Amino acid sequence: MDKQPGPGAGPPWWWRHGPPGWSRWADQHDEAREGEGDGDSGTNRRPRWPWRSTVLVMVFVLAGSNFAARAQEGERVALDPFGRVLLFVAGALLLWRKRHPVPVVFGTVAAVLLYVGAGYPYGPVFLTVVVACFSAIVSGHRHAAWAAMATLWTGHLLIAHVLYRWLPPSGDRAASWTQEIVIATWLVALVAVSELARTRREQWARERAERAQAARRRADEERLRIARELHDVLAHSISVINVQAGVGLALLDSDPEQARTALGTIKAKSKEALGEVRQVLDTLRAPGAAPRAPAPGLDRLPELVEQAASAGLTVTVEGEASRLPPGVDLAAFRIVQEALTNVVRHSGSREARVCIERDGGRLRLRIDDDGPATGADAGGGGNGLAGMRERAAALGGTIEAGPRPDGGFRVLAVLPLEVKEDR
C-alpha cells in the first residue's frame, strides 16, 4: 500500500519557487531550511547551485557555436543533434562545479575532446573548460586541474597531429605547431590566473578569519573589563553595606542615633553603587559612547578611606600620585579599593596602610594589614585578586599578593606610567 503523504508533504521547495539560484529570496529560504536541519546551524551547508552562471554559459556556448558553424562551413563538420548534445553536456556539467569540481573538470575536458575529435567547428565550447578549471583551482583542487589541462592539450595534440587522418572532416590536414604553442600558452595563462585568484581568495579568507578573531578578542576583553568593574563596584559597596547593616541591627535598640547613621551610610553607598553600575551598563547599551561620568581615580582615595572608616577599618595613606594616565589611574583606584574590601571581609585587623610611590616610570602601590586572616576564603584566590592581576597585566604591570613574613597580608602592585595603546 502506498504511503500517504503527511501534512507537510508536497512538491519540493525549488519546484514551487524555482530551482536554487534563480532568486535571492528563494536561496535565503533554502539556506534557512538547511540550517534548521543541521546541528551546527548550517555551518556544514553544501555550496549553492550556480544556476545563473551555468545557464548563461550554456546559452553563450550554444549560440556562439551556431555562429562558428556558419563561419567554418565547408571546413568543419556541420552541427548535428549529437554535436549539440555534446555542447549541452559540456555546459550542463558546470552546474556541479562547486560540489564536485574534479569530476566536472575532467568531464568537460572529455566532452570537448570528443567534440573536437568529431570534427565539429571550433568555438566557445572551450569556455566550459575555462570555467571548470577555474572553479577546480579556486576550490583547492590544483593538481587535478593541472592534470585535466595537460590531458586537454595532449588530447588535442593527438587529434590534430596523429588521429586527424581517420577522423572527420575528410581531407583535413595536420594543425600547425604554432597553433599548439598558442593553445599551450592560453592553458598556462588560464592556470596562472586561476592560481592567482585562489591565492587572493585564501588571503581574503585569512584576513576575514583574523578580523573575526580580533573582534572576538576585543569582545572578550570588553566582557572581562565590564566583569571586573561590576565585581569591584559591587564587592566593595556590598561589603560596606553589610557591615553597616550589622552595626545598625546591633545598635537599633541601644543607640538609635548610631543606627540611623549606619542606615544613612547604607543609603548613600547603595546610591553610589547604583550609579556606578548604571554607568557600566550604559557602555553595553551604547558601545563606543562617551561615558556620562568621569572614571574614578586616586583623587577619590579619601572617599575610600572614609568608607572604610564607616566599616570600622582605619586606613593610613602614605604618599600621593597626581596626574596619572587615565588607564593607570583607574586601575590603581580599583586595586586599592579591592584590597581594602578584602581587608574588611577577610582580615581580623582593623587597620590598613596604603603606600603610594613613584619609581621612575612606574607607580608602586602597597596595601598592608596586620591580620590575622578570617573566613574560609581568606587570602583568597577568588575573583578579586584575579581581577587585580588582570588589570595590572593589561597595562604591562604586575601584582604580588600574599601573607607577610611577620604576619598579616600584603598586596603590591607595580604599574607602568607609560601605557602603549593597542593598534
Side-chain angles (χ1 to χ4, degrees):
M1 189 173 185
D2 294 337
K3 183 179 180 181
Q4 297 297 324
W13 172 259
W14 63 267
W15 179 265
R16 288 177 283 133
H17 298 276
W22 282 103
S23 70
R24 181 175 300 176
W25 183 81
D27 291 345
Q28 292 174 351
H29 184 87
D30 287 343
E31 290 181 4
R33 288 166 65 90
E34 291 176 5
E36 290 173 0
D38 294 340
D40 54 356
S41 301
T43 55
N44 293 326
R45 194 186 305 117
R46 302 186 71 183
R48 287 186 289 181
W49 296 90
W51 282 95
R52 294 188 185 92
S53 58
T54 300
V55 170
L56 289 176
V57 171
M58 289 176 61
V59 170
F60 179 78
V61 168
L62 291 171
S65 296
N66 286 329
F67 286 105
R70 295 174 186 174
Q72 301 174 38
E73 187 174 356
E75 300 177 7
R76 306 290 292 176
V77 176
L79 278 177
D80 55 18
F82 180 67
R84 298 183 190 280
V85 169
L86 289 177
L87 293 174
F88 179 83
V89 169
L93 283 174
L94 298 178
L95 187 61
W96 287 270
R97 67 182 184 271
K98 291 186 177 180
R99 300 190 176 209
H100 308 289
V102 175
V104 167
V105 70
F106 279 101
T108 54
V109 167
V112 169
L113 287 178
L114 188 58
Y115 176 89
V116 174
Y120 294 117
Y122 291 105
V125 64
F126 292 99
L127 179 62
T128 60
V129 176
V130 172
V131 176
C133 175
F134 184 86
S135 297
I137 291 180
V138 168
S139 61
H141 302 278
R142 307 166 58 197
H143 298 92
W146 297 350
M149 294 303 98
T151 302
L152 176 65
W153 187 76
T154 304
H156 184 270
L157 195 67
L158 290 174
I159 293 172
H161 292 272
V162 178
L163 302 178
Y164 70 93
R165 300 180 181 90
W166 302 281
L167 296 175
S170 59
D172 195 13
R173 294 178 300 175
S176 65
W177 285 102
T178 303
Q179 179 182 351
E180 299 301 332
I181 294 175
V182 171
I183 294 175
T185 303
W186 276 105
L187 292 178
V188 171
L190 169 62
V191 171
V193 172
S194 302
E195 288 288 350
L196 177 61
R198 180 190 61 81
T199 303
R200 294 299 301 272
R201 184 178 182 180
E202 291 178 354
Q203 180 181 356
W204 291 335
R206 285 195 300 270
E207 291 175 355
R208 287 196 299 269
E210 291 173 357
R211 287 194 296 268
Q213 184 178 4
R216 287 194 297 269
R217 184 172 61 251
R218 288 192 297 269
D220 290 341
E221 292 174 353
E222 183 67 9
R223 177 178 56 81
L224 290 175
R225 184 190 69 81
I226 293 173
R228 287 195 301 266
E229 288 293 320
L230 288 175
H231 174 273
D232 292 346
V233 170
L234 295 178
H236 176 75
S237 302
I238 293 177
S239 295
V240 174
I241 290 172
N242 181 60
V243 171
Q244 292 298 323
V247 172
L249 288 174
L251 301 177
L252 185 61
D253 296 326
S254 60
D255 192 348
E257 188 63 28
Q258 187 65 26
R260 185 179 294 109
T261 301
L263 292 176
T265 302
I266 292 174
K267 179 181 179 180
K269 193 58 187 175
S270 61
K271 181 179 180 181
E272 178 185 349
L274 286 175
E276 294 196 30
V277 170
R278 188 178 295 112
Q279 181 181 351
V280 174
L281 295 180
D282 284 342
T283 63
L284 293 177
R285 297 190 181 97
R292 299 182 181 180
L298 288 181
D299 57 335
R300 291 180 53 182
L301 192 56
E303 296 181 24
L304 287 181
V305 174
E306 182 179 352
Q307 293 166 4
S310 65
L313 179 66
T314 302
V315 180
T316 303
V317 179
E318 302 176 1
E320 62 179 11
S322 58
R323 296 190 301 275
L324 295 175
V328 177
D329 205 12
L330 173 61
F333 175 82
R334 292 302 189 196
I335 289 172
V336 174
Q337 182 184 50
E338 179 62 27
L340 294 181
T341 300
N342 287 341
V343 174
V344 172
R345 296 174 60 189
H346 306 306
S347 176
S349 174
R350 295 296 85 193
E351 293 185 1
R353 295 175 295 281
V354 177
C355 180
I356 305 174
E357 299 177 348
R358 278 181 180 257
D359 182 10
R362 299 180 300 176
L363 176 68
R364 294 171 59 88
L365 299 172
R366 189 176 71 249
I367 302 94
D368 291 316
D369 71 273
D370 297 329
T374 60
D377 57 348
N383 293 328
L385 290 179
M388 287 193 288
R389 292 190 177 96
E390 290 171 358
R391 288 185 182 278
L395 299 174
T398 59
I399 286 282
E400 297 178 7
R404 297 186 307 177
D406 55 347
F409 199 83
R410 168 172 292 176
V411 174
L412 176 62
V414 180
L415 306 176
L417 296 178
E418 295 183 2
V419 181
K420 295 182 179 180
E421 297 292 338
D422 294 336
R423 294 183 179 180

